[in-house]
Amino acid sequence: MTVPLSILDLAHIGEGETARDSFDASVKMAQLAERWGYRRIWYAEHHNMPTIASSATSVLIAHVAAHTSSIRLGAGGIMLPNHSPLTIAEQFGTLATLHPGRIDLGLGRAPGSDQKTMRALRRDPSSADSFPQDVLELQGYLKGVSRIPGVDAVPGKGTDMPLYILGSSLFGAKLAALLGLPYAFASHFAPQALEEAVTLYRREYQPSEQHPEPYVIAGVGVIAADTADEAAAMFEATKRSRVVQMVGRGRTFTEEEIDLLLDSPAGYQVLTMLKNTAVGTPAEVRDYLDRFTERAQADELIVVSSAPGRDAWLRSLELVAQVSDLVPA
């Protein structure tokens, strides 16, 4: 690999597991990833999703940071319209103070939930409109140059931790370019606008003091196994599980019914989300990632292990690290 590799951990709660099982697995994976040489691990803010345990993102980061020593950890991302900028500055300022030089803060404007959950979060549907101003307010707290006179983030003031703009459309690309911030594109589930968004970001980038050059992180799925047949079987299981989860919404289906779902327009839309997934032997996955890096004009890849089951999930990440010549920090 010619670029660093990082990991997006969705804190998945598997069938028959509890949230505690998910947290234990995240700690184990982070400890291994640190040893394997991955640059960073990010956790995403999602709410009211029975299979994802990273809703209290900053708390999970703190837990994993306490059980690791060098790997960078962060949010990929915090959905800023769900929170006040001051609250996030204080939370991540606390993390940066406890674990200096290891904390990242990625910011998105999506709800990370459905309409009912938005109401439960006390979020106004129009709150996303103030996202650019909220990013600047948050940045001011972290730099120690508050935009609200007399209000400082304690802890947080002066930590000036790295901020990243997350996106799956041209809006995030434009904002990251305007603010001179690194840009992370969610191409692991939203592949359509990847090339256009990155091209726009690089073309319109305005250098900042902290980031004189543009920096792109692109998300990509990985399923690596010792044989191509094994990887293909896992990818098929992943596709079937994803369609049932997103289209069936809790219903139980026979195998024949799942086949029909896969061939339906709704099933096709779900499968399109898996377009950017590297599947195969370690060498095949590495070659795919090399090609994807070039297509995405990426400075870094953040991989999501889509392999079903804990052992396969970890093995996939281990195999990718082995063939990518990662060097532990």
Side-chain angles (χ1 to χ4, degrees):
M1 289 295 301
T2 57
V3 298
L5 290 185
S6 298
I7 297 171
L8 177 63
D9 181 0
L10 294 176
H12 178 66
I13 304 173
E15 186 175 351
E17 289 186 340
T18 65
R20 179 56 190 261
D21 294 327
S22 172
F23 298 150
D24 290 345
S26 289
V27 168
K28 179 180 179 180
M29 187 273 282
Q31 292 170 337
L32 291 170
E34 191 170 67
R35 188 185 314 164
W36 293 332
Y38 284 96
R39 171 168 288 189
R40 70 183 94 236
I41 303 172
W42 280 359
Y43 307 89
E45 177 188 348
H46 293 286
H47 299 280
N48 195 31
M49 294 188 180
T51 60
I52 296 180
S54 53
S55 55
T57 314
S58 60
V59 180
L60 179 56
I61 293 169
H63 177 64
V64 177
H67 290 83
T68 52
S69 60
S70 60
I71 195 166
R72 297 194 67 90
L73 301 166
I78 289 293
M79 301 299 107
L80 191 54
N82 290 345
H83 315 271
S84 74
L86 177 60
T87 296
I88 296 305
E90 290 169 342
Q91 289 179 5
F92 279 79
T94 299
L95 288 169
T97 301
L98 291 170
H99 307 282
R102 295 183 58 200
I103 304 300
D104 302 324
L105 178 50
L107 302 168
R109 68 180 184 128
S113 59
D114 56 25
Q115 295 294 321
K116 291 186 294 185
T117 309
M118 283 177 61
R119 290 196 294 273
L121 288 167
R122 303 297 191 267
R123 170 174 172 167
D124 187 291
S126 65
S127 54
D129 297 340
S130 63
F131 179 66
Q133 292 75 30
D134 288 346
V135 172
L136 289 173
E137 183 181 335
L138 172 61
Q139 190 176 47
Y141 289 133
L142 296 173
K143 285 180 175 294
V145 187
S146 176
R147 288 175 169 255
I148 300 180
V151 178
D152 288 319
V154 182
K157 181 179 181 179
T159 56
D160 202 16
M161 78 181 61
L163 297 183
Y164 300 77
I165 299 297
L166 276 59
S168 57
S169 68
L170 301 187
F171 177 89
K174 285 179 174 289
L175 180 62
L178 177 65
L179 299 181
L181 291 174
Y183 179 50
F185 192 89
S187 38
H188 60 290
F189 74 83
Q192 290 85 352
L194 170 63
E195 289 93 335
E196 185 180 4
V198 172
T199 298
L200 183 152
Y201 168 72
R202 290 192 177 279
R203 183 179 67 243
E204 299 188 5
Y205 188 79
Q206 298 185 21
S208 60
E209 181 180 351
Q210 194 173 23
H211 303 284
E213 300 291 335
Y215 193 85
V216 173
I217 302 176
V220 59
V222 294
I223 296 181
D226 294 302
T227 69
D229 288 344
E230 183 183 359
M234 287 194 289
F235 190 40
E236 179 65 21
T238 295
K239 290 190 289 186
R240 299 176 78 83
S241 174
R242 190 73 59 88
V243 167
V244 168
Q245 177 185 344
M246 300 190 70
V247 179
R249 297 191 178 279
R251 293 177 55 195
T252 301
F253 298 94
T254 66
E255 293 300 313
E256 291 76 16
E257 288 172 332
I258 296 175
D259 289 336
L260 293 175
L261 281 178
L262 288 167
D263 290 333
S264 70
Y268 175 78
Q269 184 176 2
V270 173
L271 295 180
T272 299
M273 297 169 65
L274 296 170
K275 175 185 175 182
N276 292 326
T277 303
V279 181
T281 64
E284 290 170 336
V285 168
R286 180 196 60 210
D287 291 344
Y288 181 99
L289 295 180
D290 282 336
R291 295 192 303 272
F292 178 78
T293 300
E294 184 174 354
R295 176 163 65 88
Q297 304 176 62
D299 299 293
E300 180 178 337
L301 298 183
I302 189 161
V303 301
V304 184
S305 175
S306 306
R310 291 294 180 201
D311 292 340
W313 176 63
L314 288 173
R315 180 62 174 160
S316 187
L317 293 171
E318 180 182 19
L319 290 173
V320 171
Q322 288 176 353
V323 296
S324 301
D325 298 323
L326 302 186
V327 178

